[in-house]
Amino acid sequence: MTAEEPTVTDDLCFTPATELSPLIRRKELSPVELIDAVLARIEACEPRINAFATLTAERAREAAKRAEAALMTGDVEGALFGLPVTIKDLTETAGIPTERGSHSLKDHVPTVDAPVIPRLEDAGAIILGKTTTSEFGWSGVSNSPLTGITSNPWKEGYSTGASSAGAGAAAAAGYGPLHQGSDGAGSIRMPAHFSGIFGLKPTYGRVPNWPVPNNDQVSHVGPMTRTVGDSALMLQAMAGPHPWDHTSLEAPPADYPARLDDGIAGLRVAFSPDLGHARVDPDVAALVQSAAEAFESLGCTVESPALPFGPEGPEIIRMLWPIHLHAYRPLLAEFEEQMDPGLVACIRAADGVTGATYLEARARKLAYVEAVHRFFEEWDLLLTPAVSVAAFPADRLQPEHWPSHPWDWIMWAEFSYPFNFSQNPAASVPCGFTEAGLPVGLQIVGRRFADLTVLQAARAFEQARPWADKRPAL
């Protein structure tokens, strides 16, 4: 993509929410001015990036006008007042299409919002629209049969990761500061890695998820932003129990923004370059190794212990992933020719699987989860690569230098699903660029419920090795 000179308007689009919010409250920045700037940025960059399944520009402008009127009367409420936010197109939005990247749901418009929507709006956020996703969120590649390729802002035509594809691309491209994602096997952390942004998968249930997915409690809702502080602000607005999600956590959110800078000195940090089994491209491995070493300078003890649970994961995920996607099997009768061929192959891979086989796989998963939590009795954090590879062409399911398979994209994403199984909080933090100029992410995993610790660790690393000033040349 060709470089362009930054403008004042573009600078506004890349400004963190933590800086925009006080400007709005002091009446130095109008919500209308901010929304207009972000929409102008979107208009200039779309459809090359193709981050939106649905852009609700007029709705956003009207909301900004209402926010400006409230600001003039002093009626300012909510930590996200006047700030733009995008919503992933797996999340139900009343009056706005929710198509999940599939022709089978084209033009589907829900009548009820998922709980995260009123929480963001009650905090004052202004919805810009719905961001793209792989079909039903099934893969880690930013391509769906309904919306096509969502292009990586760092290299046109390359994957920006998925399934929160559009959210990652939007954050990297400067489409405002706040983006909602969800993560069932890495779908926040993979786009964060590929896009050079920060993405947090909170502890399972920290943010209510409705309708509750029928995939054995692995899907987490969380923030995707350019800075750690913005994710802390957004998580605080989204978190907390909700009666529609019986798996949501009872505890209210902590004051994440206020405690971000408490530091992480004294933490015991484990580093695993491969979980004991995973292949990693050398350029990714070198950047992650360097990032892990930086934690020693932050006052942590960093060691590389064995991970007894790691090698058990690949067989378990490859048994469970097709079984859970088999729920879409009835769609094949009408929509198979319009569906992602990889998804179809994955669905068919579970044909004939018995209940006994599923229960065996689930029992192995539960033992795996116990082993993960036993490991964290000894360690505060675990550091790994976020993904094994840097971005590759989005029309491929695997990089060209990796083995081909009809549906297995997990081979290059072995680091994320273990912590969906175990429900631990985990984040991807930018830790450098390959020689080809493509971003790489470091995964930071914490103990279950220790979302604040993960945020604090990411913040400390962000301050030691800043990244948010780097922008793709669009």
Side-chain angles (χ1 to χ4, degrees):
M1 295 183 179
T2 57
E4 61 182 18
E5 290 297 319
T7 67
V8 173
T9 300
D10 284 345
D11 286 343
L12 201 59
C13 296
F14 283 92
T15 301
T18 52
E19 296 178 23
L20 292 171
S21 183
L23 291 175
I24 291 173
R25 292 171 187 276
R26 294 195 303 263
K27 300 181 182 177
E28 295 174 23
L29 174 65
S30 157
V32 173
E33 179 185 357
L34 175 58
I35 293 298
D36 282 346
V38 173
L39 288 174
R41 173 86 182 163
I42 292 168
E43 183 179 355
C45 297
E46 294 292 304
R48 284 187 299 160
I49 300 299
N50 191 31
F52 281 94
T54 302
L55 180 65
T56 55
E58 290 311 310
R59 173 178 167 143
R61 288 191 177 98
E62 290 302 315
K65 291 175 183 176
R66 291 194 297 272
E68 185 171 87
L71 184 64
M72 293 302 103
T73 62
D75 186 17
V76 178
E77 294 186 7
L80 308 181
F81 182 84
L83 300 176
V85 65
T86 69
I87 306 298
K88 181 177 177 179
D89 200 34
L90 291 186
T91 303
E92 299 280 296
T93 44
I96 304 174
T98 302
E99 299 172 319
R100 299 175 180 253
S102 178
H103 286 284
S104 67
L105 286 176
K106 184 170 174 55
D107 300 323
H108 168 64
V109 180
T111 58
V112 179
D113 280 321
V116 71
I117 304 302
R119 286 189 178 180
L120 289 169
E121 291 188 320
D122 288 348
I126 297 172
I127 293 174
L128 293 172
K130 306 293 291 294
T131 51
T132 57
T133 178
S134 53
E135 188 168 21
F136 297 115
W138 91 274
S139 84
V141 180
S142 59
N143 194 350
S144 92
L146 183 63
T147 57
I149 287 174
T150 294
S151 204
N152 193 315
W154 297 96
K155 187 163 185 178
E156 193 163 5
Y158 273 46
S159 178
T160 192
S163 62
S164 305
Y175 296 177
L178 307 174
H179 308 272
Q180 176 261 331
S182 59
D183 188 315
S187 291
I188 285 174
R189 290 159 290 161
M190 290 186 294
H193 160 94
F194 284 126
S195 303
I197 64 161
F198 179 72
L200 172 67
K201 176 189 76 68
T203 299
Y204 181 85
R206 181 70 67 201
V207 179
N209 193 9
W210 177 89
V212 178
N214 184 19
N215 58 7
D216 201 19
Q217 300 184 7
V218 296
S219 292
H220 308 225
V221 174
M224 301 176 68
T225 62
R226 292 180 57 83
T227 68
V228 178
D230 282 3
S231 277
L233 196 67
M234 191 174 177
L235 179 61
Q236 189 174 35
M238 296 190 295
H242 194 281
W244 293 0
D245 180 358
H246 67 282
T247 69
S248 60
L249 299 179
E250 181 181 4
D255 192 345
Y256 304 114
R259 298 190 57 192
L260 262 189
D261 293 319
D262 286 359
I264 56 172
L267 294 188
R268 294 201 68 208
V269 177
F271 168 58
S272 177
D274 60 4
L275 293 186
H277 68 88
R279 169 182 169 180
V280 183
D281 281 357
D283 51 356
V284 172
L287 289 166
V288 172
Q289 174 80 39
S290 174
E293 292 169 356
F295 278 74
E296 293 183 344
S297 66
L298 297 173
C300 301
T301 299
V302 181
E303 299 179 26
S304 295
L307 273 63
F309 61 86
E312 298 295 318
E315 188 172 352
I316 298 171
I317 186 65
R318 285 164 179 80
M319 294 171 69
L320 290 175
W321 198 248
I323 291 172
H324 289 142
L325 288 170
H326 208 254
Y328 298 111
R329 185 67 167 80
L331 293 179
L332 300 189
E334 182 178 352
F335 294 102
E336 179 172 353
E337 296 303 315
Q338 296 175 281
M339 292 174 68
D340 185 324
L343 173 57
V344 172
C346 193
I347 291 169
R348 291 192 181 280
D351 284 351
V353 172
T354 65
T357 299
Y358 174 67
L359 290 175
E360 177 191 357
R362 194 168 184 277
R364 291 178 63 183
K365 173 193 164 183
L366 293 174
Y368 182 94
V369 168
E370 179 183 343
V372 171
H373 293 307
R374 285 182 180 273
F375 175 84
F376 274 99
E377 288 180 342
E378 302 295 327
W379 302 93
D380 297 296
L381 296 171
L382 170 64
L383 308 179
T384 77
V387 182
S388 290
V389 300
F392 56 90
D395 58 355
R396 300 184 59 90
L397 201 55
Q398 301 91 9
E400 188 173 359
H401 63 289
W402 281 62
S404 180
H405 189 278
W407 61 265
D408 184 2
W409 56 270
I410 302 164
M411 64 177 75
W412 48 261
E414 298 278 8
F415 295 97
S416 47
Y417 66 79
F419 310 108
N420 295 86
F421 284 175
S422 65
Q423 305 185 350
N424 294 58
S428 178
V429 182
C431 66
F433 291 82
T434 67
E435 288 188 8
L438 297 169
V440 169
L442 169 74
Q443 180 172 234
I444 303 174
V445 188
R447 292 172 175 165
R448 190 164 176 246
F449 309 126
D451 306 79
L452 179 59
T453 303
V454 173
L455 283 165
Q456 289 169 337
R459 170 71 155 212
F461 182 77
E462 176 186 46
Q463 291 177 332
R465 297 194 179 181
W467 68 77
D469 59 326
K470 297 176 176 62
R471 305 180 188 177
L474 292 173

